[in-house]
Amino acid sequence: MSILRNVKSLVPLFDRVLVQRVKPETKTASGIFLPESSVKEQNVAKVLAVGPGTVDINGNKVPVSVAPGDHVLTPPFGGSPVKVGEEDYTLYRDSEILAKINGE
Amino acid sequence: MSILRNVKSLVPLFDRVLVQRVKPETKTASGIFLPESSVKEQNVAKVLAVGPGTVDINGNKVPVSVAPGDHVLTPPFGGSPVKVGEEDYTLYRDSEILAKINGE
Amino acid sequence: MSILRNVKSLVPLFDRVLVQRVKPETKTASGIFLPESSVKEQNVAKVLAVGPGTVDINGNKVPVSVAPGDHVLTPPFGGSPVKVGEEDYTLYRDSEILAKINGE
Amino acid sequence: MSILRNVKSLVPLFDRVLVQRVKPETKTASGIFLPESSVKEQNVAKVLAVGPGTVDINGNKVPVSVAPGDHVLTPPFGGSPVKVGEEDYTLYRDSEILAKINGE
Amino acid sequence: MSILRNVKSLVPLFDRVLVQRVKPETKTASGIFLPESSVKEQNVAKVLAVGPGTVDINGNKVPVSVAPGDHVLTPPFGGSPVKVGEEDYTLYRDSEILAKINGE
Amino acid sequence: MSILRNVKSLVPLFDRVLVQRVKPETKTASGIFLPESSVKEQNVAKVLAVGPGTVDINGNKVPVSVAPGDHVLTPPFGGSPVKVGEEDYTLYRDSEILAKINGE
Amino acid sequence: MSILRNVKSLVPLFDRVLVQRVKPETKTASGIFLPESSVKEQNVAKVLAVGPGTVDINGNKVPVSVAPGDHVLTPPFGGSPVKVGEEDYTLYRDSEILAKINGE
């Protein structure tokens, strides 16, 4: 029995942000499968958990700039990969996250 | 349906600046197409969105030095590319932007 | 007779964290051996000992963010390996530890 | 029509300095063309515009040490090239400029 | 006659720590020689001398975290080798020492 | 006509030091030419001009540690070369100068 | 006539330390020449001159930790070589000196 059975048990440390990449759509809304070349690769991910932030040299807390549930744009490289079951996740430092994506 | 459908939903974090490169003119004002070799390559881009800035070690906010709508000179290399639909955008750190271009 | 006979005699310095990797299960609960390819490789480790932390430039103590007994997610690379008897351990800096894993 | 038609519309950011290299003389005062090998290569440039300077960690402004109109000695390598029309310019950080050249 | 005849005349500077690696046992307590492959390689060393420590930017002394007589775990690489007579010693910076080894 | 006609018009910026290397003697006092191999290569230079120094993060001026007229020992590598007319000069950062050479 | 005729005219700047390596003995006390392989290579040097030290960011002087006449252990690599006449000397930064060697 694995210690890490559920991604919800992962508590990021410092300013780390746990995300899961949003899989690109591979079929249309009406259920037609898209040829692979037409599937856009985007570094869009959903934030699952964030660390408590860091403390600067004057002792002030520096909170993480994103929150669980946010959709974010992640950098094309970097981050620490984590596999839980069959799913892939990534841990980034907060400052590596490029942008938040506002909902509509 | 993609999460990132509209570049306007991108909210840069920290001191990041979202720009779109201004495409060089490929035809004259009177509509004549220019041969490719005469099209000048310039790293001129339009600022679409900027982050909230950073906080220095004394807790003071350091705002971003450019604003949406500004035309700027970007460095020839670097930045994080973002594709939304068929359009290409780039995210730079504020300090990477070389110069503002004043309107006339 | 070796000086380092027992891992319990290791006292990490500064912000170092002594961990032992949790071995992936190689047989099922009912005792059936699993083929190697089905054994998931996870960088999950148990914290055995932590250093006293560091002191920042204003003289304030910065304690280590994990504690003995914690299960943690370690980075895929890095750390200093230590062998005691037939067992392998690793020492990380506190900031290299990616996440804590909450018990259930 | 290009956004960047005139070098005068370039406003350097931070401590950047926009310069144009002074072309070496290729003919004598009396109009005789000099053979290429006798033309001295000097990294002499004229300052066209300077940024507002930077702010140090105590919030004090650090102005740029040269001013438009100054002749300066630039380093043999580095800087960001900018082309406006047929002319070449370079942007340096203030601290990269080696020396001012006093007029006579 | 060599200036450095005795390791006891070495006084480490700053936060340096002079250690001698503890040689792995090559025979059993009863005097039987062990084959080389069964001799465990451990980076265990004895501290012989330590420097006075460093001074932080606020003028406070930062003492060395180990003391002469301590057994320590050293990193697998690094340090400055010193040879006195036929014996090999190593000088590390205090922060390179991984852990103290408690006596029993 | 060159902008940089006279090395005296060069005003180093920041903590830069303009020096000219002292040429090794190639003939004896009595006028006998020395074979090249007997001419000692020394990185000895004369200081021609120094910058105003730098400002530390607390706003205090940090003057340059050498003065025009000083003879100094320069590092074997580094520095920015400057050619004025047929003469070669070098600009160093103050901290790169190894030692002053006292007159006798 | 060389500017640098005498090593005593060298005045190290900042935290630099001028040393001369102590040559290993090549004959015994009774005058017998030693075969080269038995001559121990030690990085032992004598301090000839030291700089005035540095100033930290709070304006406090940081003196050099060794003094002329001290015997020191130098690192196996690094330092700036200086040749005066037929003799070789080296300039180190104070923090590169590994240890003092106490006299007996």
Side-chain angles (χ1 to χ4, degrees):
Chain A
M1 209 171 65
S2 176
I3 302 281
L4 180 53
R5 282 184 307 268
N6 190 331
V7 73
K8 287 186 182 158
S9 62
L10 273 177
V11 183
L13 293 171
F14 301 101
D15 62 342
R16 288 200 178 80
V17 176
L18 177 71
V19 306
Q20 184 172 30
R21 193 172 173 179
V22 176
K23 284 151 194 150
E25 304 291 318
T26 55
K27 54 180 180 173
T28 64
S30 54
I32 298 162
F33 279 87
L34 291 165
E36 210 176 291
S37 64
S38 75
V39 176
K40 268 174 268 155
E41 278 290 321
Q42 283 181 326
N43 296 305
V44 174
K46 188 172 182 178
V47 176
L48 302 183
V50 302
T54 51
V55 176
D56 72 17
I57 58 165
N58 293 317
N60 303 310
K61 293 209 81 173
V62 181
V64 171
S65 61
V66 293
D70 282 351
H71 282 96
V72 294
L73 192 72
T74 59
F77 299 107
S80 298
V82 194
K83 199 176 184 96
V84 182
E86 295 305 310
E87 295 292 310
D88 291 301
Y89 305 91
T90 312
L91 279 150
Y92 290 99
R93 313 297 309 228
D94 184 35
S95 61
E96 292 176 310
I97 304 289
L98 297 174
K100 263 196 259 199
I101 300 169
N102 270 349
E104 280 165 274
Chain B
M1 210 170 66
S2 176
I3 302 281
L4 179 53
R5 282 185 305 268
N6 190 331
V7 72
K8 288 187 182 157
S9 62
L10 273 177
V11 183
L13 293 171
F14 302 100
D15 62 343
R16 288 199 179 81
V17 176
L18 178 70
V19 306
Q20 184 171 30
R21 193 172 173 179
V22 175
K23 284 153 194 149
E25 305 291 317
T26 54
K27 54 180 180 174
T28 64
S30 54
I32 297 164
F33 280 88
L34 290 165
E36 210 176 291
S37 65
S38 75
V39 176
K40 268 175 268 155
E41 279 290 320
Q42 283 181 327
N43 295 307
V44 174
K46 188 172 182 178
V47 176
L48 302 183
V50 302
T54 52
V55 175
D56 72 17
I57 59 166
N58 293 317
N60 303 311
K61 294 209 80 174
V62 180
V64 171
S65 61
V66 294
D70 282 350
H71 282 95
V72 294
L73 192 72
T74 60
F77 299 106
S80 297
V82 194
K83 199 176 182 96
V84 182
E86 295 306 309
E87 296 290 310
D88 291 302
Y89 304 90
T90 313
L91 279 150
Y92 291 99
R93 313 297 309 228
D94 184 36
S95 61
E96 293 176 309
I97 304 288
L98 297 174
K100 263 196 260 199
I101 300 170
N102 270 349
E104 279 164 272
Chain C
M1 211 171 64
S2 176
I3 302 280
L4 180 52
R5 282 184 306 269
N6 190 331
V7 73
K8 288 186 183 158
S9 61
L10 273 177
V11 183
L13 293 171
F14 301 101
D15 62 342
R16 288 199 178 81
V17 177
L18 177 71
V19 307
Q20 184 171 31
R21 194 172 173 178
V22 175
K23 284 150 193 151
E25 304 291 317
T26 55
K27 55 180 179 173
T28 64
S30 53
I32 296 163
F33 279 89
L34 291 165
E36 211 176 289
S37 65
S38 74
V39 176
K40 268 174 269 156
E41 278 289 321
Q42 283 182 326
N43 296 305
V44 174
K46 188 172 183 179
V47 176
L48 302 183
V50 302
T54 51
V55 176
D56 72 16
I57 59 165
N58 292 317
N60 303 311
K61 293 209 80 173
V62 180
V64 172
S65 62
V66 293
D70 282 351
H71 282 96
V72 294
L73 192 71
T74 59
F77 299 106
S80 298
V82 194
K83 199 175 182 96
V84 183
E86 294 306 310
E87 295 292 310
D88 290 303
Y89 304 91
T90 312
L91 279 150
Y92 291 99
R93 313 297 311 225
D94 184 36
S95 61
E96 293 176 310
I97 305 289
L98 297 174
K100 262 195 262 200
I101 300 169
N102 271 349
E104 279 166 273
Chain D
M1 211 171 65
S2 176
I3 302 281
L4 179 52
R5 282 185 306 269
N6 189 332
V7 73
K8 288 187 182 156
S9 62
L10 273 177
V11 183
L13 292 171
F14 302 101
D15 62 343
R16 287 198 179 81
V17 176
L18 177 71
V19 306
Q20 185 172 29
R21 193 173 173 178
V22 175
K23 284 152 194 149
E25 305 291 318
T26 53
K27 55 181 180 174
T28 64
S30 53
I32 296 163
F33 278 88
L34 291 164
E36 209 177 291
S37 65
S38 74
V39 177
K40 269 174 268 157
E41 278 289 321
Q42 284 182 327
N43 295 306
V44 174
K46 188 172 183 179
V47 176
L48 301 183
V50 302
T54 51
V55 175
D56 73 17
I57 59 166
N58 292 318
N60 304 310
K61 294 210 78 173
V62 180
V64 172
S65 60
V66 293
D70 283 351
H71 281 96
V72 294
L73 192 72
T74 59
F77 299 107
S80 298
V82 194
K83 201 177 182 94
V84 182
E86 294 306 309
E87 295 290 311
D88 290 303
Y89 304 91
T90 312
L91 279 149
Y92 291 99
R93 314 297 308 228
D94 185 35
S95 62
E96 293 175 310
I97 304 288
L98 297 174
K100 263 196 259 199
I101 300 170
N102 271 349
E104 280 166 274
Chain E
M1 211 171 64
S2 176
I3 302 281
L4 181 53
R5 282 185 305 269
N6 190 332
V7 73
K8 289 187 182 158
S9 61
L10 273 177
V11 183
L13 292 172
F14 302 101
D15 63 342
R16 288 198 179 82
V17 176
L18 177 71
V19 307
Q20 184 171 31
R21 193 170 174 180
V22 175
K23 285 151 192 150
E25 304 292 317
T26 54
K27 55 181 178 174
T28 64
S30 53
I32 297 163
F33 279 87
L34 292 164
E36 211 176 289
S37 65
S38 75
V39 177
K40 269 173 268 155
E41 279 289 322
Q42 284 181 325
N43 296 305
V44 174
K46 188 172 183 179
V47 176
L48 302 184
V50 302
T54 51
V55 176
D56 73 16
I57 59 165
N58 292 317
N60 303 310
K61 294 210 80 173
V62 180
V64 172
S65 61
V66 294
D70 282 351
H71 282 96
V72 294
L73 192 72
T74 60
F77 299 107
S80 297
V82 194
K83 201 177 182 94
V84 183
E86 295 306 309
E87 296 291 311
D88 290 303
Y89 304 90
T90 313
L91 279 150
Y92 290 99
R93 314 297 310 227
D94 184 36
S95 61
E96 293 176 310
I97 305 288
L98 297 174
K100 263 196 261 200
I101 301 169
N102 270 349
E104 279 166 274
Chain F
M1 211 170 64
S2 176
I3 302 282
L4 180 53
R5 281 185 307 268
N6 190 331
V7 72
K8 287 186 184 160
S9 62
L10 273 177
V11 183
L13 292 171
F14 302 101
D15 62 343
R16 287 198 180 82
V17 176
L18 177 71
V19 306
Q20 184 171 30
R21 194 171 172 179
V22 175
K23 284 152 193 148
E25 304 291 318
T26 55
K27 54 180 180 173
T28 64
S30 53
I32 297 163
F33 278 88
L34 291 165
E36 211 176 290
S37 65
S38 75
V39 177
K40 268 174 268 155
E41 278 290 321
Q42 283 181 327
N43 296 305
V44 174
K46 188 171 183 178
V47 176
L48 302 184
V50 301
T54 51
V55 175
D56 73 17
I57 60 166
N58 292 318
N60 303 310
K61 294 210 79 174
V62 180
V64 171
S65 61
V66 294
D70 282 351
H71 282 96
V72 294
L73 192 71
T74 59
F77 299 107
S80 297
V82 194
K83 200 177 183 95
V84 183
E86 295 306 310
E87 296 290 311
D88 289 304
Y89 304 90
T90 312
L91 279 149
Y92 290 99
R93 314 297 309 226
D94 184 35
S95 62
E96 293 176 310
I97 304 288
L98 297 174
K100 264 197 259 198
I101 300 170
N102 271 350
E104 280 166 273
Chain G
M1 210 171 64
S2 175
I3 301 283
L4 181 52
R5 282 185 306 269
N6 190 331
V7 72
K8 288 187 182 157
S9 60
L10 273 177
V11 183
L13 293 171
F14 302 101
D15 63 343
R16 288 200 179 81
V17 176
L18 177 71
V19 306
Q20 184 171 30
R21 194 171 173 180
V22 176
K23 284 150 193 152
E25 304 291 318
T26 54
K27 54 181 179 173
T28 64
S30 54
I32 297 163
F33 279 87
L34 291 165
E36 211 176 290
S37 65
S38 75
V39 177
K40 269 173 268 156
E41 279 289 321
Q42 283 182 326
N43 296 305
V44 174
K46 188 172 183 178
V47 176
L48 302 184
V50 302
T54 51
V55 175
D56 73 16
I57 60 166
N58 292 319
N60 303 310
K61 293 210 81 174
V62 180
V64 171
S65 61
V66 293
D70 282 351
H71 282 96
V72 294
L73 192 72
T74 60
F77 299 106
S80 297
V82 193
K83 201 177 182 94
V84 182
E86 295 306 308
E87 296 291 310
D88 290 303
Y89 304 90
T90 312
L91 279 149
Y92 290 100
R93 314 297 310 226
D94 184 36
S95 61
E96 293 176 309
I97 305 288
L98 297 174
K100 263 196 258 198
I101 300 169
N102 270 350
E104 281 165 272

